[in-house]
Amino acid sequence: MTHRTDPQIGQIARILKGKDAGGIGVVVELLDDKFVRIADGNKRKFDQAKRKNIQHLEFLDLISSEVVNSLNESGRVTNGKLRHAVSTFVQFETKAEEKGD
């Protein structure tokens, strides 16, 4: 389910290092080949997106089309959409664990 190459806007990432380690975020900006900005819409709002080294993130094979579309249309995404993307992933992951995947 995981891969570590070329993060994309709207991609869900698990935070591996730092004070937010263990949390989930959504890539809202690609800064360069080493850094991205992530936000979760809750603790880390879009306007205060966290700059993270991509080596400190585990990128998941899940991209939120809502986040991508919103950023493409207006250059912004609401914190509600970010929260929705994160909660959708958490529900998906919980169901997979219940099935024993």
Side-chain angles (χ1 to χ4, degrees), residues 5-88:
T5 56
D6 298 334
Q8 297 175 24
I9 296 287
Q11 190 165 16
I12 307 294
R14 180 175 282 115
I15 302 163
L16 302 176
K17 303 265 176 152
K19 70 174 187 175
D20 296 331
I24 302 293
V26 182
V27 176
V28 294
E29 186 180 358
L30 304 173
L31 298 174
D32 56 33
D33 61 350
K34 286 192 169 38
F35 292 95
V36 296
R37 285 193 192 279
I38 62 168
D40 65 8
N42 199 8
K43 195 164 66 172
R44 185 62 70 180
K45 307 273 195 242
F46 175 76
D47 290 330
Q48 308 281 292
K50 175 75 174 152
R51 180 176 175 261
K52 290 294 284 184
N53 184 324
I54 62 171
Q55 292 181 340
H56 297 171
L57 298 170
E58 177 183 22
F59 296 102
L60 306 168
D61 288 334
L62 199 65
I63 295 176
S64 169
S65 56
E66 277 188 359
V67 171
V68 173
N69 293 340
S70 184
L71 284 166
N72 286 341
E73 286 170 19
S74 65
R76 297 184 54 78
V77 63
T78 65
N79 291 311
K81 283 185 182 168
L82 291 171
R83 284 191 300 272
H84 178 72
V86 170
S87 69
T88 300

